[in-house]
Amino acid sequence: MSQSLEYLLVLDFEATCQENSKGPMQPVQEIIEFPVVQLRTSDWAEIRRFHQYVRPIECPKLTSFCTSLTGIIQEMVDGQPTLSAVLEDFDAWMKEDSRLKTGNFAFVTCGDWDLKVALPNEAKFKNIQIPEYMKQWINVKKAYAAHTNHFARGMPELLKIYNLKLQGRHHSGIDDVANICEIVRCLGKDGHNYRITGSSDQPTTTRRFFREARK
Ligand code: AMP
Ligand code: MG
Ligand code: MG
């Protein structure tokens, strides 16, 4: 089956965190890992990748909870560029590839959190502009639900459905991206034609914000 979109950019952020019982990160949750893999939908091959650890500024010291969840240790973020610099490098990476044109690619995430909550929230707090191309995306859980009428709760369930073995470590951004890529390939080969499922253009009410954050 031929896909409407020529390229899918699979993305999965990791961010500063503490145990849920201790509440959200104050004053803001910050992205610490920024991995993106570019898939070509004609043969589902990985053609390029961008992978950068990011130094948090508001809470520069990672919690031990965050390190045990993500596998990201302090030394991996110390001395790294901050989010605004990483977004600039990422923009250069996007522009390097003349095959990427408006309308022929989309980001794919597992859930709406990455591009609906994490990035817009941190960017607003730090007064950073989000590139237009990151304001819409495909949530693979919604794509799977549209294709099968069954809603999978998360990446581990989708891996199980497709009989895929977990690669690497769950909650490592780059490993999560590799696993999401496998799911994206399976659903694509199953005949799903990927389309945008969400955008961050509409203002989000507080209630919707928390509802979306849980998805
Ligand atoms: P994920 O892509 O599922 O690895 O999660 C992205 C980010 O969400 C993580 O880097 C954490 O900041 C946060 N997160 C995920 N799971 C948890 C959890 N069980 N408790 C607290 N924060 C979490
Ligand atoms: Mg994720
Ligand atoms: Mg992850």
Side-chain angles (χ1 to χ4, degrees), residues 4-180:
S4 308
L5 295 162
E6 283 177 73
Y7 300 98
L8 294 177
L9 298 171
V10 179
L11 169 155
D12 185 80
F13 295 141
E14 301 306 326
T16 53
C17 56
Q18 55 193 2
E19 259 173 297
N20 280 331
S21 60
K22 297 195 173 143
M25 291 300 289
Q26 297 298 345
V28 71
Q29 193 173 23
E30 296 175 280
I31 292 167
I32 54 173
E33 187 179 0
F34 193 128
V36 179
V37 162
Q38 182 175 351
L39 297 180
R40 179 171 57 207
T41 60
S42 58
D43 60 359
W44 299 107
E46 169 178 337
I47 55 168
R48 293 196 312 153
R49 64 167 60 190
F50 178 91
H51 186 208
Q52 181 65 58
Y53 291 98
V54 188
R55 178 164 52 89
I57 312 170
E58 297 298 327
C59 295
K61 291 281 164 240
L62 302 182
T63 62
S64 54
F65 175 82
C66 183
T67 291
S68 58
L69 182 80
T70 62
I72 301 170
I73 61 171
Q74 191 63 43
E75 289 68 26
M76 289 157 84
V77 295
D78 283 346
Q80 297 292 353
T82 60
L83 181 65
S84 59
V86 173
L87 277 170
E88 274 177 37
D89 292 348
F90 182 67
D91 191 56
W93 183 86
M94 289 290 289
K95 288 174 179 154
E96 233 166 58
D97 190 343
S98 58
R99 295 168 296 188
L100 293 176
K101 300 184 286 272
T102 309
N104 79 343
F105 72 89
F107 287 89
V108 180
T109 51
C110 187
D112 288 323
W113 175 81
D114 302 77
L115 294 177
K116 186 158 204 136
V117 180
L119 183 62
N121 237 7
E122 185 177 349
K124 188 166 177 220
F125 184 86
K126 296 182 175 175
N127 217 352
I128 300 171
Q129 286 290 323
I130 299 176
E132 285 305 311
Y133 51 71
M134 295 184 104
K135 292 184 177 173
Q136 52 174 26
W137 61 89
I138 297 164
N139 173 350
V140 73
K141 291 194 280 181
K142 286 188 179 162
Y144 178 77
H147 193 71
T148 62
N149 273 325
H150 169 76
F151 192 85
R153 283 191 25 246
M155 192 188 84
E157 189 179 334
L158 284 165
L159 289 173
K160 208 169 279 169
I161 287 166
Y162 285 114
N163 262 322
L164 297 165
K165 220 176 121 236
L166 176 77
Q167 296 179 41
R169 169 197 188 115
H170 187 201
H171 300 304
S172 146
I174 192 67
D175 292 348
D176 285 349
V177 163
N179 286 298
I180 299 166

